[in-house]
Amino acid sequence: MKTSRWTAAAALAAVVLPLSACSLGEDTEAAASDCPWTADESVEGTVRIGYQKIPNGDVVVKDQKLLENCLPNATIEWNNFASGGDVVQAFGAGSIDIGLAGSSPSTKALSAPLSLPVKVIWIHDVIGEAESLVVRDGAATDIKGLKGKTIATPFGSTAHYSLLQAIADAGEDPADYKLINSEPEQIAPAWANGDIDAAWIWDPTLSELKKQGGTVILSSKDTAEAGKPTYDLGLASTSFIEENPKVLEAWAKAQDYAVEQILDDPDKAAESVAIEVGVSTDEAKAQFAGLTYLRAADQAGDDWLGKKLGTDLLGTAKFLLQQDGISAVAPAATYDDGVDASVAASAE
């Protein structure tokens, strides 16, 4: 789930350099043999992916080089972003083809003033306790007790959305809270320096704050149960969807394989998450419990990508409008049409 930084972020996204790029053309046979299904050697060119260090299937795909192995003649570029707002800006700059963003920034991407030509093609996870409001010892025991105190969260993120929703559900005014815009890597030092009283944030920063004595008093599971669910979503540009069905089929199969591994072989998946996210394998396994992961066959149905998600995005847009996060709510069809279940269906 960054209005004040979006111009700068867009400039940064336009020149972003890949953190890793793999072209396995020199050893196609070896690469193809590592693909869990028959590799597609017909795909060439470059696929630019924006990812975040979140304990879900996306980093499992990256670490295990599933795309590199299953598309051995393509070049896969993985670009790391701190938040979904930055991923959305990268789409606006035309510097990525596929990217992970929370449901709040994804809704902004579909709404004015951005109205970007992108579609949601995957649900990486349904967010639960993996995003939470953690407070300094003695600072407060509920959201009302934080009035007048400093709360850090990445603006425009799903965490920010959940924080605002929790304040509203408590019958309070966000203006009575000192909310500051901080990226995940900025929050832990600010906490250590005593500059903030609380933060609504995700792992691994969340776990770090808890290690430093923080106490969780609310989570995105609570706001979801109150009717405002949040998600980590996979987006792709509409032109890329139209022009690269084979790439997206392989991508969806890789994501589904990673989800299956998290659900059925969490020890192996945790090894990849530990490497990519920068936590221990035990911490990675513990973080899995804070998110819900969906297989492709489930995602493609009406309960998720087929129907419900568009409705949830519309609800998110209505709330963001109240908070001045967007300039207008688009027609309901915009959010329905902004979700494409066919990519997940291709992995079944």
Side-chain angles (χ1 to χ4, degrees), residues 234-255:
L235 302 173
S237 69
T238 53
S239 60
F240 190 83
I241 294 171
E242 293 168 359
E243 297 168 8
N244 297 276
K246 290 185 177 180
V247 172
L248 289 173
E249 180 179 350
W251 180 88
K253 284 183 177 180
Q255 295 291 342

Side-chain angles (χ1 to χ4, degrees), residues 54 82 120 260-261 276 288 294 301-304 346:
I54 296 173
V120 176
E260 180 181 24
Q261 191 175 117
E276 294 294 336
F288 289 157
L294 303 169
D302 286 352
D303 287 345
W304 302 103
S346 72

Side-chain angles (χ1 to χ4, degrees), residues 91-240:
F91 275 114
S95 60
I96 59 174
D97 305 305
I98 305 169
L100 184 154
S103 46
S104 181
S106 297
T107 300
K108 288 186 175 183
L110 296 171
S111 306
L114 293 177
S115 302
L116 297 178
V118 297
K119 290 190 176 186
V120 176
I121 59 172
W122 190 258
I123 299 174
H124 286 290
D125 54 74
V126 185
I127 301 172
E129 293 177 347
E131 285 189 9
S132 294
L133 176 61
V134 57
V135 302
R136 191 178 298 282
D137 186 35
T141 57
D142 58 25
I143 192 76
K144 292 184 177 182
L146 287 170
K147 289 170 65 174
K149 297 183 179 180
T150 304
I151 309 173
T153 194
F155 282 11
S157 68
T158 49
H160 185 211
Y161 170 82
S162 294
L163 172 59
L164 293 174
Q165 187 62 54
I167 292 173
D169 287 348
E172 301 295 334
D173 186 344
D176 292 332
Y177 296 78
K178 187 178 180 182
L179 307 184
I180 62 170
N181 184 14
S182 298
E183 295 293 1
E185 65 270 15
Q186 299 169 328
I187 289 178
W191 180 281
N193 292 335
D195 296 333
I196 59 176
D197 301 297
W200 199 306
I201 193 60
W202 53 83
D203 280 317
T205 303
L206 173 61
S207 294
E208 180 62 28
L209 299 190
K210 289 193 287 187
K211 286 180 183 177
Q212 296 181 35
T215 300
V216 170
I217 62 171
L218 276 174
S219 75
S220 296
K221 179 181 179 180
D222 297 314
T223 52
E225 290 175 349
K228 299 296 186 296
T230 52
Y231 308 86
D232 285 315
L233 302 174
L235 302 173
S237 69
T238 53
S239 60
F240 190 83

